[in-house]
Amino acid sequence: MSNKPAKASKTAARPSTQVPGISDRKTLRDRARRNIEDGAITDSYSADRKAVIKLLNDALATEYVCVLRYYRHYFMAKGMLADAVKAEFLEHAQQEQAHAGKLAERIVQLGGEPDLNPDTFSARSHAEYKEGSDLRDMVRENLVAERIAIDSYREMINFIGDRDTTTKRILEEILAQEEEHADEFADLLDGWIGK
């Protein structure tokens, strides 16, 4: 066992070099103690929170309209191709429900309240609730709704930009899945046999 005093770490003794655009530790710590009731929303959040919450609530209404439409189509699908297409409807209904959950959670993180009033869903939804007259019409209506969702999510992402990277990431994940849905329905229509 050595009786020599332990050497202090050279890196601990050196002051850190400040990187332009990056706050120093003291500033970060001081800012974090202000307005702690705002939770995850700190001074560096630069988006218009009210506008983002409104966009997310409109997207939430859209997702629920899509969930309801997919479930209706799932239960009402008939015909020779119904079993395979019903499976798609059910899977998409469950995925849209997961999207709604992500949106509602983010709304709360931003200090808002998810608007789950069913009386206003169709008025706020970007997509329409179309029942469809037959299986092919149901596939077509779901493809239209997915295309609407793609454009609306892309516009929200562009609006938010890098001012709210968490919301942007959530919207990008949802957009990617909506594009997959549209591609699947386009493939179904492309290979359709019969009327």
Side-chain angles (χ1 to χ4, degrees), residues 60 63-64 66-68 70-71 91-104 116:
L60 182 63
E63 293 295 344
Y64 274 112
C66 290
V67 167
L68 295 171
Y70 275 126
Y71 273 121
E91 180 183 355
H92 291 197
Q94 294 165 343
Q95 290 170 341
E96 303 294 347
Q97 180 69 52
H99 297 168
K102 289 178 183 181
L103 294 168
L116 297 171

Side-chain angles (χ1 to χ4, degrees), residues 105-122:
E105 286 175 2
R106 185 59 181 159
I107 290 165
V108 172
Q109 286 175 340
L110 292 173
E113 296 179 4
D115 186 348
L116 297 171
N117 182 346
D119 291 339
T120 66
F121 279 169
S122 61

Side-chain angles (χ1 to χ4, degrees), residues 29-55:
R29 292 171 182 169
D30 290 345
R31 279 196 324 231
R33 293 188 178 283
R34 289 194 308 263
N35 304 317
I36 64 170
E37 65 279 357
D38 288 341
I41 304 304
T42 64
D43 291 348
S44 64
Y45 186 88
S46 62
D48 178 344
R49 255 196 304 170
K50 286 183 181 178
V52 172
I53 290 168
K54 186 205 178 307
L55 290 173

Side-chain angles (χ1 to χ4, degrees), residues 86-173:
K86 280 177 76 161
E88 287 294 320
F89 291 159
L90 181 60
E91 180 183 355
H92 291 197
Q94 294 165 343
Q95 290 170 341
E96 303 294 347
Q97 180 69 52
H99 297 168
K102 289 178 183 181
L103 294 168
E105 286 175 2
R106 185 59 181 159
I107 290 165
V108 172
Q109 286 175 340
L110 292 173
E113 296 179 4
D115 186 348
L116 297 171
N117 182 346
D119 291 339
T120 66
F121 279 169
S122 61
R124 293 184 292 121
S125 172
H126 299 130
E128 298 169 285
Y129 180 86
K130 295 282 192 172
E131 293 178 351
S133 58
D134 57 29
L135 189 58
R136 185 173 190 207
D137 193 38
M138 291 176 193
V139 170
R140 183 192 259 5
E141 288 303 331
N142 285 310
L143 176 55
V144 169
E146 294 296 350
R147 290 170 52 83
I148 291 168
I150 288 166
D151 278 347
S152 64
Y153 280 118
R154 196 169 285 133
E155 287 177 6
M156 285 186 271
I157 290 164
N158 290 337
F159 172 78
I160 290 168
D162 290 333
R163 294 171 300 179
D164 179 345
T165 52
T166 301
T167 299
K168 179 181 177 182
R169 181 181 42 80
I170 291 167
L171 296 176
E172 286 172 338
E173 289 171 5

